[in-house]
Amino acid sequence: MTWRFDWITSWDEIWSGPFLAQWHEWMETSPTAHVFFHPALVRAWVETYLPLRRMEPRFLIAARGDSTVFLPMVLWRRNWKNAFQRLLIPVGYSDYDYHDPIVAGQIDGNILQEFWAELPLAFRKGPHGEYDALELTGIREQVACSRAFVKEGDICPWCDLTSLKDGEAFLSSVNRNLRKSLNRKQRRLAEMGESSYHVFSAGDLPEALSTLEEFLIVHAHKWPHAYKPPNLHRNMLILGVPAGIVHFSLLRVDREVIAWQLGFVDSRRFYAYIQAHRDEYAAVSPGQILLYHCVQDAIHRELRIFDHLRGEESYKSGWTNCADDLYRLQVARSSVGATLRNLAVDRLKPALCQAAQAWRGR
């Protein structure tokens, strides 16, 4: 049975009621669905980047019999600094952790293997043959079946919550040092004042947006080189909190906010996206205490997985018992123009940057 590849190239069609209804249906029935391809997060990212980049929708719908594979992508027409390369990337690109396609309908063990085998041909025959390169990142191990995939350096640690009944059960499951540290830090925090944990809902969205600005300032102070696209996190809250998929919480001592956590909840999975805490409270590890509140909250809501997402940062140590490898797929067109543009971006530009750094270091 052959595959049929259709490409949606109109934002009006993508945001239309009928297509959004179909999209939600795929999300609800797909075992491979993840929160980063939820319509609310896709729209948050798109509305953030449309004023910044020349992007056009290339949402791929691949069908074979009763099976459907949905992969939201955009065509990024890069500027002169990147040789005007025409790059096909997944929605979310470097800002979102996972880009596994959504698989719905009749699903068998070979469906994704066959999709990945056919995708390069569909890419080369895409609308008007206008792409120079396809770059898919953040594909998890269980669906990276093709030899064309290359393992990325990062992993995504996560914790299985299915057998845990409460926060005490979680503490019993982690290593002894982390358990003792959390208990000690919570006692020290209690000596400073009355602490409270709060999760924002649609009803207090204005307050969430107000404290978001403070959170991003604190986060930027801690990680000054981490790029934050203008309004991305604000758009996440505006679109994602009412949709019930964005989790934004904080930890207070008396009336002062000392830590924040931004994450997502979807399909019984909690995604811990970014966090920050005030340096003056670092001695009591408010970020870890807030993370523990989030774990307790996830267990109370009967979520199955607490996902710490990409990276092996030190604060994740001891909190997880599983991890997913991540894979990357790159496909390049072989036309003369595409080859020259890809070479300019992949080899010439890095070489020039390296030479410039060496010159400045003289």
Side-chain angles (χ1 to χ4, degrees):
M1 190 175 297
T2 59
W3 284 87
R4 185 181 73 254
F5 289 86
D6 295 316
W7 303 78
I8 303 180
T9 60
S10 163
W11 291 120
D12 288 341
E13 182 177 355
I14 288 168
W15 306 131
S16 69
F19 184 74
L20 286 173
Q22 176 65 79
W23 189 345
H24 279 287
E25 182 180 337
W26 287 333
M27 290 286 296
E28 291 167 2
T29 60
S30 171
T32 64
H34 53 86
V35 75
F36 296 110
F37 280 167
H38 187 283
L41 284 192
V42 167
R43 189 156 195 167
W45 188 84
V46 168
E47 292 190 356
T48 297
Y49 275 99
L50 277 180
L52 306 176
R53 295 177 177 172
R54 292 184 59 201
M55 297 194 321
E56 302 164 14
R58 296 295 184 269
F59 283 29
L60 176 61
I61 303 173
R64 191 203 64 181
D66 295 327
S67 303
T68 299
V69 179
F70 176 54
L71 183 55
M73 295 186 287
V74 294
L75 171 62
W76 178 15
R77 298 183 185 273
R78 307 182 77 179
N79 59 20
W80 64 270
K81 295 180 181 179
N82 292 283
F84 300 105
Q85 184 189 41
R86 302 168 301 181
L87 188 62
L88 192 63
I89 58 173
V91 166
Y93 198 40
S94 58
D95 298 293
Y96 291 169
D97 295 72
Y98 301 146
H99 301 121
D100 311 303
I102 299 169
V103 183
Q106 184 176 347
I107 300 172
D108 59 56
N110 298 322
I111 185 71
L112 274 170
Q113 292 187 41
E114 295 174 6
F115 169 76
W116 292 126
E118 292 288 332
L119 182 61
L121 180 61
F123 157 71
R124 294 186 178 98
K125 291 184 176 180
H128 316 300
E130 60 191 344
Y131 316 128
D132 297 324
L134 163 70
E135 183 174 309
L136 289 176
T137 58
I139 306 297
R140 286 172 288 184
E141 181 175 11
Q142 59 264 37
V143 297
C145 308
S146 167
R147 294 180 181 178
F149 285 90
V150 176
K151 186 180 289 189
E152 297 185 28
D154 283 337
I155 63 169
C156 290
W158 53 276
C159 181
D160 186 349
L161 303 178
T162 52
S163 62
L164 305 178
K165 295 182 179 180
D166 52 32
E168 289 300 318
F170 171 78
L171 285 180
S172 298
S173 72
V174 303
N175 68 62
R176 184 169 176 266
N177 289 336
L178 176 59
R179 181 166 62 251
K180 290 178 64 176
S181 175
L182 273 172
N183 287 331
R184 183 174 64 254
K185 298 296 176 58
Q186 288 186 101
R187 288 194 299 269
R188 292 183 62 184
L189 183 64
E191 294 171 359
M192 295 179 176
E194 183 179 356
S195 65
S196 59
Y197 166 69
H198 178 71
V199 181
F200 291 99
S201 64
D204 51 7
L205 184 57
E207 182 185 353
L209 293 171
S210 176
T211 195
L212 174 70
E213 301 304 318
E214 189 177 16
F215 163 53
L216 294 176
I217 291 171
V218 173
H219 189 277
H221 177 74
K222 179 70 174 179
W223 291 280
H225 302 297
Y227 175 64
K228 296 181 184 64
N231 296 318
L232 175 60
H233 303 93
R234 181 180 179 84
N235 289 338
M236 286 179 179
L237 264 61
I238 291 173
L239 295 168
V241 170
I245 62 163
V246 167
H247 167 104
F248 187 39
S249 61
L250 51 78
L251 181 67
R252 289 190 180 98
V253 171
D254 295 330
R255 292 188 175 185
E256 184 176 14
V257 180
I258 64 171
W260 298 261
Q261 174 74 57
L262 176 60
F264 314 106
V265 177
D266 189 47
S267 299
R268 302 188 72 177
R269 191 179 191 115
F270 186 101
Y271 302 80
Y273 189 58
I274 56 173
Q275 63 167 237
H277 66 266
R278 295 192 185 280
D279 286 343
E280 54 266 39
Y281 289 88
V284 295
S285 302
Q288 287 205 338
I289 294 174
L290 177 54
L291 195 61
Y292 177 51
H293 279 292
C294 293
V295 170
Q296 289 179 297
D297 192 9
I299 294 172
H300 177 72
R301 297 174 63 175
E302 299 184 344
L303 304 184
R304 294 175 178 172
I305 292 174
F306 197 96
D307 193 334
H308 290 263
L309 296 174
R310 182 188 294 263
E312 297 182 82
E313 290 86 349
S314 58
Y315 74 85
K316 299 179 184 179
S317 177
W319 291 80
T320 61
N321 52 22
C322 304
D324 286 336
D325 288 319
L326 294 177
Y327 289 78
R328 174 191 302 268
L329 174 66
Q330 292 179 300
V331 181
R333 289 184 65 231
S334 57
S335 70
V336 173
T339 300
L340 291 174
R341 285 185 288 271
N342 293 336
L343 284 173
V345 172
D346 297 338
R347 298 186 183 181
L348 181 58
K349 182 180 177 181
L352 291 174
C353 290
Q354 186 176 5
Q357 289 175 358
W359 176 262
R360 286 194 294 268
R362 293 178 60 183

